[in-house]
Amino acid sequence: MDLATASLELFSGLLQAKRAYIQVRLIDKAGNELVRVDRVGEKTRVVPRDLMQNKHDRRYVSETIKLPAGSIYLSEINLNREHGRISEPYMPVLRAATPVYDNGGELFGLVVINMDFGRQLDVIKRAQQGIGQSLYVTNSLGSYLVHPNRDKEFGFDLGHDERVQRDFPQLTNLFSPTSHRTIETLLPEDTGDNRVRVFVKIALLRDHPERFVTVGLSQPYDDVIASQSTALANAIGFSLLLIVIGIAAAYAFSGLLVRPIGLVTQRIDDFMHGRETGSLPIERSDEIGMLARAFRDLERQVRSSEENLQGLNRDLEGLVVNRTRELTRFKNTLDLTMDCVLIFSAERLEIFYANQGAVEQVGFPREMLLNMKPFDVMPLLDEVQFRRLLEPMLSGELSFTSFETVHRSKAGVDIPVEVLLQYIAPEGEQARFVAIIRDITERNRIDQMKSDFISTVSHELRTPLTSIRGALGLLVGGAAGDLPKQQYEMVDIAHKNSDRLIHLINDLLDMEKITSGKMEFNNEPQLLMPLVDSAMAESHAYAQQFGVEYQIVSSSSTTRVNVDSDRLRQVLFNLLSNAAKFSAGATRVEIAVIDNGPQVRVAVTDYGGGIPVEFRNQIFEKFTQADASSTRSMGGTGLGLTISKSIIAQMGGTIGFETEVGRGTTFYFELQTV
């Protein structure tokens, strides 16, 4: 068989092999696949859009979009990848790409054709093996595309790059970027074996000689001599011809696609810009026809979707207008609210909303507030203290909290405020805090006026009441002689009610002292049990009115505490009298003194009705009792527990309670021992 006949037969096989696997891709200039058609054997399919990829980082994309219209870019031969991963089984591919411009000369994208080049390489390889030769093909780096040992092929893609320069160092100069050599012959004395090897460089692109492949043939030296070198020369020419044919076929195949692809692209551009469009080449039965029909179906779907979308847009526009109106109304309402409203992020604590009330309260412009954090205007709290205040809400223990502090205005004026702080974390949105901050300057002024009034009235009433109680006590005690029974009962009632009034006035005065910080304490180390016994003795007569006896269930005779004895007895009297008053028919109140080392707990337990759930959170607030009927039927100001809590806090302790509805309540306080 002569060289021409072999070339024609192999070229025919090459074209048939080429049709075994082809990909045609239409890619926009951003690298997004718009349409892709795959042919495997005789089967052709349009790839679904959800399987398409972005190829902006591929070299053949970035290089092709730089080319003028009608130009062809041939890529390096490497293993095919899909979605960034090498396809299995391995498939060497050659890519031919051409840019596509619309009628206005603007680049739309490019067409890329992927061809299975492994079959061409196998055709050449088998042909050479048939005449006793070994074939080598490398890329411009010297990495093997074809090698007699398949394990060395495409190592640059598979992580074990094998290069011809390492096997034959004499070829290093052939791959040098500055070398102009195009052929290198290795004789047996060069390689140390009985073979002759010839390597030839073939440029892929005429204007880029640095992009090339090399073809090498190896044949036993004796065979070369026997045939006067004719076989080797024919083989080299034969292989070069096949490579050139393959590259020419890629050019030709790409060229056949450029014009019809241009029609499809022009139709896409017309459709995107709302222009009248011409016909598509849908009558073709090849990949281009598939591409055109796929776009026609896509166009129909888009038009149908556009009609549906227009209807939805009309509905959405009306909804947006209404919602915008509602949001504007809501924002205007917040802006016109007199209270300061701040919204800030839960993580960075940065304010991202401040209403007009906030601007007017602190005097900072809104732009400045939006670059601040809440504690920037709170001189009594630093960031650590402020974050500690937020922790119970972030952990889910509380959903909101309230507290009083001070805001410092831009002018340096301190403003007393009450803060209601709420944590909001809607699903799918950024968590944030909403703070509603009220200026309580006027409220504090009124409270002070009330305190001053109560203090003045209480002081004015206490002196005459003390005299009245003393006089009534003398009458009850018989200092003026025995009174008739009816008169005695009336005087006794007056005496008891004067006692109640004195206690009420004392509570009011104590509350005023606590509020103004004027309550004095004379703390000193002393035994605890004598104070407990003294308070029980003082409360005994009061408890008898309710048929209640006090019982000590545990004690500690050696426990010492650092307290003001009068104030501690006041606390004990409040707890004991409350327990007797609310025993609800029970006959026993228990007192327990438990020394736990560094702390001692004093607990007073009654077996009455317990504290209702809805009342427990405000049990230590001023002027509160479980219900109004208790106040009327049993007396009391509702100040005893508030005063007790303040007294215990001043002595370095804590106070609390445990209760169960229908079974009773235990009030306790804990103090440090000395």
Side-chain angles (χ1 to χ4, degrees):
M1 180 184 300
D2 60 20
L3 182 59
T5 303
S7 299
L8 288 174
E9 289 188 4
L10 285 175
F11 181 52
S12 175
L14 182 145
L15 292 176
Q16 293 175 5
K18 175 170 66 64
R19 292 185 60 83
Y21 178 83
I22 297 174
Q23 287 183 348
V24 181
R25 306 169 188 251
L26 177 60
I27 299 175
D28 67 19
K29 59 186 177 183
N32 299 304
E33 289 185 333
L34 300 177
V35 184
R36 172 178 153 194
V37 178
D38 290 359
R39 177 186 289 276
V40 180
E42 296 302 320
K43 295 182 179 180
T44 305
R45 71 163 186 147
V46 178
V47 176
R49 291 194 63 82
D50 58 348
L51 296 181
M52 294 187 187
Q53 307 166 56
N54 182 283
K55 300 288 188 179
H56 76 279
D57 58 344
R58 299 296 190 267
R59 182 178 179 184
Y60 61 82
V61 173
S62 61
E63 293 295 329
T64 303
I65 61 178
K66 300 175 185 177
L67 299 177
S71 301
I72 301 293
Y73 178 86
L74 290 181
S75 74
E76 296 81 1
I77 301 170
N78 55 19
L79 296 180
N80 188 50
R81 280 178 166 79
E82 296 295 341
H83 299 282
R85 302 181 63 179
I86 295 175
S87 305
E88 293 186 4
Y90 301 146
M91 181 191 301
V93 292
L94 173 68
R95 298 172 185 85
T98 183
V100 178
Y101 292 82
D102 61 22
N103 287 344
E106 183 179 351
L107 175 70
F108 176 82
L110 62 151
V111 176
V112 181
I113 306 166
N114 287 14
M115 292 177 288
D116 178 3
F117 209 68
R119 294 176 180 264
Q120 285 91 323
L121 295 175
D122 284 342
V123 168
I124 300 171
K125 190 173 181 180
R126 285 195 300 270
Q128 300 307 114
Q129 289 173 344
I131 56 177
Q133 297 172 338
S134 296
L135 177 67
Y136 304 85
V137 180
T138 78
N139 61 21
S140 55
L141 297 177
S143 300
Y144 288 115
L145 306 177
V146 175
H147 191 279
N149 179 0
R150 280 190 175 270
D151 292 339
K152 291 193 173 188
E153 295 177 349
F154 294 95
F156 58 91
D157 270 339
L158 300 175
H160 54 84
D161 197 1
E162 302 282 350
R163 299 195 181 189
V164 68
Q165 303 97 309
R166 296 173 187 166
D167 294 335
F168 306 107
Q170 300 86 347
L171 298 176
T172 300
N173 188 49
L174 188 65
F175 292 89
S176 172
T178 59
S179 173
H180 298 291
R181 295 181 65 84
T182 58
I183 189 168
E184 195 74 56
T185 302
L186 303 180
L187 299 174
E189 54 266 30
D190 298 320
T191 59
D193 57 15
N194 190 35
R195 300 186 73 85
V196 176
R197 295 176 177 84
V198 178
F199 287 84
V200 180
K201 279 193 337 190
I202 305 172
L204 292 174
L205 297 172
R206 183 182 308 161
D207 298 330
H208 295 275
E210 74 280 0
R211 297 189 57 226
F212 60 86
V213 295
T214 66
V215 177
L217 287 175
S218 170
Q219 188 169 7
Y221 179 76
D222 294 340
D223 292 349
V224 174
I225 295 301
S227 59
Q228 293 86 33
S229 301
T230 302
L232 184 60
N234 284 343
I236 292 174
F238 176 71
S239 298
L240 293 178
L241 179 60
L242 288 179
I243 294 294
V244 172
I245 287 172
I247 294 173
Y251 270 97
F253 194 72
S254 300
L256 291 174
L257 292 176
V258 170
R259 184 178 178 277
I261 286 294
L263 292 176
V264 175
T265 305
Q266 183 61 52
R267 179 64 178 269
I268 294 173
D269 184 67
D270 290 341
F271 177 69
M272 290 174 62
H273 291 86
R275 296 190 292 265
E276 291 296 325
T277 59
S279 60
L280 286 167
I282 58 176
E283 71 285 351
R284 294 173 59 127
S285 60
D286 59 4
E287 291 83 356
I288 299 304
M290 292 284 290
L291 193 68
R293 287 189 291 275
F295 177 73
R296 182 190 61 184
D297 294 340
L298 178 64
E299 183 179 359
R300 289 173 179 171
Q301 294 174 14
V302 170
R303 292 192 185 281
S304 175
S305 298
E306 280 182 346
E307 293 174 359
N308 294 333
L309 187 59
Q310 287 173 359
L312 291 174
N313 280 340
R314 286 191 294 270
D315 296 339
L316 184 60
E317 285 173 1
L319 182 62
V320 168
V321 169
N322 292 334
R323 188 59 54 86
T324 302
R325 189 179 295 118
E326 292 174 4
L327 288 174
T328 302
R329 187 183 303 118
F330 176 71
K331 182 179 182 301
N332 290 340
T333 301
L334 277 183
D335 279 342
L336 295 175
T337 301
M338 294 180 63
D339 289 337
C340 165
V341 179
L342 299 177
I343 305 177
F344 56 94
S345 62
E347 182 178 350
R348 299 176 62 86
L349 306 183
E350 294 174 340
I351 298 172
F352 59 84
Y353 173 79
N355 73 336
Q356 186 61 30
V359 173
E360 293 177 358
Q361 184 184 102
V362 295
F364 289 99
R366 196 187 308 270
E367 295 74 16
M368 290 186 65
L369 279 174
L370 297 181
N371 288 314
M372 298 169 68
K373 298 180 180 180
F375 50 83
D376 290 337
V377 294
M378 296 180 179
L380 302 183
L381 295 172
D382 59 21
E383 181 174 0
V384 174
Q385 293 169 319
F386 191 74
R387 286 189 180 276
R388 190 177 298 124
L389 187 70
L390 304 179
E391 284 176 2
M393 287 176 284
L394 292 172
S395 66
E397 182 180 347
L398 296 174
S399 60
F400 69 93
T401 189
S402 61
F403 59 94
E404 292 185 7
T405 185
V406 169
H407 269 189
R408 181 161 292 166
S409 70
K410 186 181 180 184
V413 177
D414 286 347
I415 307 164
V417 294
E418 180 184 59
V419 181
L420 175 64
L421 190 59
Q422 184 175 0
Y423 177 62
I424 300 175
E427 185 176 353
E429 296 183 24
Q430 181 186 18
R432 63 261 194 189
F433 284 96
V434 178
I436 301 175
I437 304 160
R438 174 163 295 179
D439 183 341
I440 57 174
T441 302
E442 183 63 18
R443 189 176 78 184
N444 286 353
R445 188 183 68 83
I446 294 173
D447 285 346
Q448 185 60 47
M449 290 175 60
K450 290 192 297 184
S451 296
D452 292 344
F453 173 76
I454 291 171
S455 176
T456 301
V457 170
S458 299
H459 276 97
E460 293 298 323
L461 288 175
R462 185 161 63 172
T463 299
L465 276 174
T466 301
S467 299
I468 293 170
R469 185 181 65 170
L472 291 172
L474 290 173
L475 290 174
V476 170
D482 293 336
L483 297 174
K485 180 179 179 182
Q486 187 175 7
Q487 294 178 1
Y488 177 84
E489 289 177 352
M490 295 178 65
V491 171
D492 186 49
I493 291 172
H495 181 251
K496 288 179 179 178
N497 278 286
S498 67
D499 275 342
R500 290 179 61 187
L501 282 172
I502 291 294
H503 283 302
L504 170 61
I505 290 172
N506 286 337
D507 282 350
L508 290 172
L509 289 173
D510 284 343
M511 197 68 246
E512 189 274 332
K513 289 177 183 177
I514 289 170
T515 303
S516 63
K518 296 178 181 178
M519 180 174 279
E520 296 180 357
F521 287 83
N522 183 24
N523 295 338
E524 57 183 9
Q526 52 196 296
L527 289 171
L528 176 60
M529 283 309 299
L531 300 178
V532 175
D533 294 335
S534 174
M536 288 175 58
E538 186 179 351
S539 307
H540 178 71
Y542 184 82
Q544 283 186 325
Q545 300 177 51
F546 302 98
V548 172
E549 291 290 335
Y550 296 125
Q551 180 180 351
I552 295 179
V553 295
S554 65
S555 63
S556 177
S557 60
T558 60
T559 300
R560 296 171 64 83
V561 288
N562 187 36
V563 295
D564 183 313
S565 58
D566 290 337
R567 294 302 180 187
L568 187 61
R569 277 198 301 267
Q570 183 179 352
V571 172
L572 287 165
F573 180 83
N574 281 334
L575 298 184
L576 290 168
S577 59
N578 278 349
K581 183 167 56 177
F582 293 103
S583 286
T587 59
R588 185 176 85 257
V589 169
E590 295 178 350
I591 299 95
V593 179
I594 306 167
D595 192 335
N596 292 319
Q599 284 187 328
V600 61
R601 170 179 284 206
V602 179
V604 178
T605 303
D606 68 65
Y607 294 94
I611 301 172
V613 174
E614 64 274 10
F615 183 69
R616 294 173 187 174
N617 289 336
Q618 53 194 25
I619 193 70
F620 290 106
E621 293 181 6
K622 293 185 289 186
F623 303 109
T624 54
Q625 286 187 326
D627 59 69
S629 63
S630 296
T631 304
R632 289 193 297 270
S633 64
M634 297 182 180
T637 62
L639 291 172
L641 290 175
T642 307
I643 293 170
S644 297
K645 182 178 180 181
S646 298
I647 290 173
I648 292 296
Q650 288 290 335
M651 293 188 291
T654 58
I655 192 169
F657 68 94
E658 298 168 354
T659 187
E660 185 176 351
V661 175
R663 298 180 66 88
T665 301
T666 296
F667 276 91
Y668 61 86
F669 61 83
E670 294 179 340
L671 295 168
Q672 297 291 324
T673 59
V674 295

